[in-house]
Amino acid sequence: MKRLTLLFPAALLAGVALLSYAQTNLTGYWMFRVPQANNDGTFRDSYFELKQDGAAITGRAIQGARETPISEGTFQGGALHFVVSTPGRGANATPNRTVYDGKLVDGKFTLTSAGRGNPVSGEFLRSSKEAATPPAPLPLPDLHDVKDNGLVRTPPMGWNSWNKFAGRVTDADVRGMADAMVASGMAKAGYVYVNIDDTWEGQSRDANGNITTNRKFPDMKALTAYVHSKGLKIGIYSSPGPKTCAGYEASYGHEEQDAKQFAAWGFDYLKYDWCSAGNIYKDTDMQAVYQKMGDALLKAGRPIVYSLCQYGRSDVWTWGAKVGGNLWRTTGDISDRWLSLDRIGFGPAVPGQRTQLDIASAMKPGHFNDPDMLEIGNGGMTDDEYRLHMSLWSLLSAPLLAGNDLRSMTDEIKSILMNVEVIAVNQDRAVNPPRKISEENGGMSVVLAKTLADGSVAVGLFNRGEEPALIPVSWKSLGIAAKTARDLWTHQAVAVSGDSYTATVPKHGVAMLKVSAK
Ligand code: GLA
C-alpha cells in the first residue's frame, strides 16, 4: 500500500509529462542557438521549419537561401531526433550526415548536432519565418564611378588574423602582432596594416543600431590607438549581408552607419566579404552592393582602404576600381597546402577559368588583384614553397598580408617575409603585369617576368614539379640588353656573359632574378 502511494504521484507526474509532450506540437519555425566555439559570448544560430504529425517529424533545415529536407524525424516522450543529409563533394563522395538529438525537459529544449566535427549543443528555441528566412534585397544605387581614395598606390602590406587564428583572434593577439611587426623588422621592411578579420562582432546591435564588439574585443578605440602608437595602421572586417561568413553580425541595412563607426573607432582598412549577401542579392548586383560601401567609406571621415572579398566572381577585376576598391579577391580561400598555393597561383582552378596572369593587366596603382593572404610560416608547406609563394605574389603585385603568428617566426621565415629585394619587386610603383616568358616540362617549369619602373626586369623561374629542375631563361626573351643581373634570394650577382642563364630549382621552388641594362 505504502509503495503504491509512493509510486502513484511519480506515475501521475510521468503521465502529466507524457501528456504535455503529446500536447506539445513542434510544428513551426525553430532556432538552434549554439555558443561560438571561441566562447566570445556570442552564438551561432541556425534555423529549421518542422511539421509534426503524431510522433513523426518532417520539415527542412534553412541555411540562408539553401533548404535541406530533414529525414528520420521523430518526437516521442520529449525526445526529438532528425537527420540532415547534404551531398558530399565529388562524384563518389558519401553524403554529409548530421544527426540532431533534442530533449524537452521542463519546457526547456536542448539540442545536440553530431556531424563530421565535434558534436555541438545549444538551446532549441521557437522562432519565426521572418527570422529564419533571408531579408529582402535593399534597393540598390545606380552605378557610377566612385572617386579614387588615393590610398595604397603600391600593394598593401601587413598582416591579417584569419589564416592563423580564424575565430580565436583577440585584442591581445592584435596588440601582440603590432608589437612583433615592429620588433621583428617587418614594419621597417614595409608591412603596415594589422588587420582583424571575422569574429570581432557582438551578438546584436545596440539600441541605436550601432554595431558592437564581443568580449574578445572590449575596446576598439583603445586598440586602434595602440596600433597607431606603434606607427602602424589597423583594419577591420564586415559583410554586405546580415551575417559574416562565420555567422556574426554584419552590415546589411547599416552600411553608412557601420562605415562611420569604423572610422570613429579609428580603422584604416575594411575587408568587405560577400558571405550571406549571397542569400539576398544576385551576383549581378555585386557591383552596386560594393559601390554602396565604397561611397559610404568616402563619407566616413577617415581614409579607409577598401578591400573587396567576393572570391573573384562576376569578373570583379573589370569593376573593382569603379566601386572605389583598392583590392579585390580573385579566388576562393587559400589554405596552407602546396595544392592550394599552386592552384591559386598558377591556376586555373577550374578548366576554362582565368588565371592570375590572365587578369594581371586589370591592375593599376591603387587597385590590385588579391589572390588571398600569405600562408608563409604557418607550417603546412616547405620553405621552398613559401619562397615560391612570396616570389609569385611579388611578381603579381599582390597584397602582401602575412597570415602567420609574427611573435614566433623562425629565422628562415623572417628571411622570406623580409626579403627586401623581393618586396621591392612587389612594391614597384609601375604595377606592370607580369608576362609568361616560357612554360616547359609539361607546364611544370614556368618563367614569368615583370618590367619594373626603372626599366629593369624581375624574373621568376618557378618549378611546380615534383623533382628538382633545370630552368633556363635567355636574356633575349626578356626584351632587355642584360648588363647586370642579381639573384634576389641568394643576394648575389649573376654572370650575364652568355646568352642565357639556367637555374637549378628545387621541387616546388623558385629562383628570382633582377636583370638590368645598366
Ligand atoms: C571568407 C573569406 C576569408 C575569411 C573568412 C572569415 O571565407 O574568404 O578570407 O575572411 O570568410 O569568415
Side-chain angles (χ1 to χ4, degrees), residues 344-401:
I344 286 182
F346 297 102
V350 176
Q353 243 184 29
R354 264 163 288 200
T355 64
Q356 298 308 303
L357 215 54
D358 293 336
I359 59 174
S361 61
M363 284 185 279
K364 55 190 175 198
H367 309 281
F368 304 97
N369 292 332
D370 173 9
D372 210 357
M373 302 164 294
L374 301 173
E375 289 285 8
I376 296 167
N378 277 334
M381 291 190 253
T382 65
D383 288 342
D384 280 330
E385 290 165 342
Y386 288 142
R387 267 187 285 275
L388 180 146
H389 194 0
M390 186 76 185
S391 306
L392 184 52
W393 263 232
S394 292
L395 282 165
L396 289 170
S397 306
L400 294 181
L401 296 171

Side-chain angles (χ1 to χ4, degrees), residues 162 197-198 237 245-246 271 273 275 309 311 329 333 372-373:
W162 188 254
D197 206 281
D198 204 351
Y237 166 101
C245 294
K271 173 172 167 184
D273 194 349
C275 302
C309 178
Y311 335 114
R329 279 274 295 276
D333 289 12
D372 210 357
M373 302 164 294

Side-chain angles (χ1 to χ4, degrees), residues 252-293:
Y252 168 87
H254 295 272
E255 293 79 359
E256 287 204 3
Q257 190 176 10
D258 286 359
K260 286 208 181 94
Q261 178 68 78
F262 300 151
W265 275 334
F267 283 99
D268 311 291
Y269 186 117
L270 171 69
K271 173 172 167 184
Y272 204 43
D273 194 349
W274 189 241
C275 302
S276 67
N279 298 326
I280 301 173
Y281 302 107
K282 299 190 289 292
D283 275 19
T284 46
D285 298 329
M286 278 178 173
Q287 185 170 347
V289 171
Y290 275 96
Q291 176 188 296
K292 193 171 181 182
M293 184 51 93

Side-chain angles (χ1 to χ4, degrees), residues 132-154:
T133 42
L138 296 169
L140 293 172
D142 290 339
L143 295 181
H144 65 94
D145 286 1
V146 176
K147 200 171 139 243
D148 189 344
N149 60 19
L151 302 171
V152 288
R153 297 298 97 177
T154 59

